[in-house]
Amino acid sequence: MTPKPAGPPDGGWGWVVAAAAFAVNGLSYGLLRSLGLALPDLAEHFDRSAQETAWVSALALAGQQAASEGGSPGPVGSALSTRWGARPVVMVGGVLTSLGFVFSAFARSLLHLYLGLGLLAGSGWALVFAPALGTLSRYFSRRRVLAVGLALTGNGASSLLLAPALQLLLLGWRGAFLLLGAITLHLTPCGALLRPLALPGDPLAPPRGPLAALGLGLFTRRAFSVFALGTALVGGGYFVPYVHLAPHALDRGLGGYGAALVVAMAAGWGGPLLAAAGAYGLSAGSYAPLVFGVLPGLVGIGSVVQATGLVMMLMSLGGLLGPPLSGFLRDETGDFRASFLVCGSCILSGSFIYLGLPRALPSCRPASHPAAPPPERGELLPVPQVALLSPGAPHSTLDTTC
């Protein structure tokens, strides 16, 4: 048997995993950003409203983060990777995503798109993101935030390249979906690069039962619950600009290629719109690395894959409701002004919830008889192991570091 390393290698094969996670992020979130470009064409082709066509992106977002197949629980990808390993789960997810785009290219109604992008492609995306990011977090400790940040730049690179390219190729939405089906099949070799890494402190056997595999017990930790609530509220507005920024640019008189550049740069076109959207793009780009970078410090490296899946599930609630609500407000008011005001209110509400996170962290004091040093120390809580005093509990525990 190969001996377990003393801790995360903080490099080595981890950089290959980071490159694979970069591609996975680009072929999931990056493509989701670009789907908004197809919404006006879909609305015209099927003669439907902005609200109805917005459900295409909303269902894909919700499926990508929650895998809501048949009413099953949300973080399916993290639960399956906990049981079977990240490599086969991501490879299967790549095949499902590709099939979803190919099926959607032959759609005859919006229902076909709901099934193709929302069910097939969305479920495939749900199987790739959390396992890839969770595996990456296991390879790094001191450089974790850097590695996660580099991996999450994949969505920006994908948007920058794909959105204008699809407009320049003039493929139409059917041809674009066929091309994206071929591109997303590359998720499968990315999954093959996710080499398993055994670390001290890993459970000897996979968790038994669906609740244990999903990691729902993490909600009993007050800090994680506060963090999860804030993330769910932010998710209510986070995805709206990526879905409706291109239609908004078209409403402002831009052509198709100009709207593609808006999505690519996550920015508007000219004057105050450019400044506001550019600031949002910078803020949104820095938000994701922080969210997934601090999770190991909150829950420990052994639960990071499950925690990633749960956070994605909560963000999916906002991703499911935010874009259709934005489309409804646009249909009722005639423009996207009210849509973006509601979007900003959701993000601000989640940010205020985050302000309560320091108080939710457990109080601590030096342990009288410290145990052996922990195998891995989180980015958020990087000092030696100490005894934790849970609020209202008479005895301290040593199963967490702070």
Side-chain angles (χ1 to χ4, degrees):
M1 296 179 61
T2 304
K4 293 183 179 181
D10 231 17
W13 190 260
W15 295 116
V16 178
V17 176
F22 174 91
V24 167
N25 195 48
L27 296 178
S28 55
Y29 275 112
L31 291 188
L32 281 170
R33 285 185 177 186
S34 303
L35 283 182
L37 289 170
L39 295 185
D41 289 340
L42 295 176
E44 180 180 358
H45 181 85
F46 294 108
D47 193 22
R48 297 299 181 92
S49 66
Q51 180 187 4
E52 291 174 300
T53 53
W55 277 104
V56 175
S57 293
L59 289 173
L61 283 167
Q64 188 266 342
Q65 299 189 77
S68 52
E69 294 179 89
S72 60
V76 174
S78 60
L80 292 177
S81 65
T82 300
R83 179 64 180 87
W84 301 106
R87 178 179 285 171
V89 172
V90 174
M91 295 177 71
V92 171
V95 174
L96 289 178
T97 303
S98 178
L99 290 176
F101 272 103
V102 173
F103 177 84
S104 299
F106 299 96
R108 299 299 178 186
S109 67
L110 282 182
L111 177 61
H112 295 160
L113 292 175
Y114 295 159
L115 294 175
L117 293 179
L119 182 63
L120 272 178
S123 298
W125 276 326
L127 295 181
V128 301
F129 185 81
L133 209 60
T135 301
L136 176 61
S137 296
R138 293 175 60 82
Y139 272 87
F140 290 89
S141 175
R142 182 172 55 87
R143 299 175 178 174
R144 180 182 298 126
V145 173
L146 171 63
V148 171
L150 290 175
L152 292 178
T153 59
N155 59 24
S158 176
S159 300
L160 183 64
L161 295 175
L162 284 178
L166 293 176
Q167 287 291 325
L168 286 175
L169 293 175
L170 300 176
L171 297 174
W173 65 269
R174 295 188 187 275
F177 283 172
L178 280 175
L179 178 60
L180 292 178
I183 292 175
T184 52
L185 191 59
H186 290 77
L187 288 167
T188 301
C190 291
L193 297 175
L194 302 180
R195 179 188 297 172
L197 178 66
L199 295 173
D202 288 347
L204 298 179
R208 297 181 179 180
L211 294 182
L214 292 170
L216 297 182
L218 293 173
F219 286 110
T220 61
R221 305 184 186 185
R222 189 170 65 171
F224 180 76
S225 297
V226 172
F227 185 81
L229 176 60
T231 303
L233 289 173
V234 170
Y238 183 85
F239 300 105
V240 170
Y242 297 125
V243 174
H244 282 140
L245 197 56
H248 179 50
L250 292 173
D251 285 351
R252 297 289 296 270
L254 290 179
Y257 185 66
L261 288 178
V262 169
V263 176
M265 304 302 295
W269 194 265
L273 182 60
L274 172 63
Y280 179 81
L282 291 174
S283 301
S286 62
Y287 170 75
L290 291 175
V291 166
F292 297 109
V294 303
L295 274 179
L298 284 175
V299 302
I301 195 67
S303 303
V304 66
V305 176
Q306 295 168 317
T308 301
L310 291 173
V311 167
M312 291 169 61
M313 176 190 70
L314 293 169
M315 290 192 71
S316 73
L317 298 177
L320 178 64
L321 299 176
L325 175 61
S326 175
F328 170 77
L329 292 175
R330 194 267 182 221
D331 291 337
E332 294 295 318
T333 62
D335 58 37
F336 284 100
R337 180 175 300 177
S339 301
F340 289 121
L341 287 176
V342 173
C343 159
S345 300
C346 291
I347 296 176
L348 281 177
S349 300
S351 301
F352 286 128
I353 295 294
Y354 284 146
L355 294 178
L357 186 59
R359 293 187 178 183
L361 294 172
S363 57
C364 54
R365 61 174 175 80
S368 56
H369 299 286
E376 195 274 344
R377 296 182 299 199
E379 297 281 351
L380 184 62
L381 312 170
V383 299
Q385 184 176 10
V386 293
L388 297 183
L389 297 179
S390 301
H395 303 290
S396 61
T397 60
L398 289 173
D399 60 343
T400 310
T401 59
C402 74

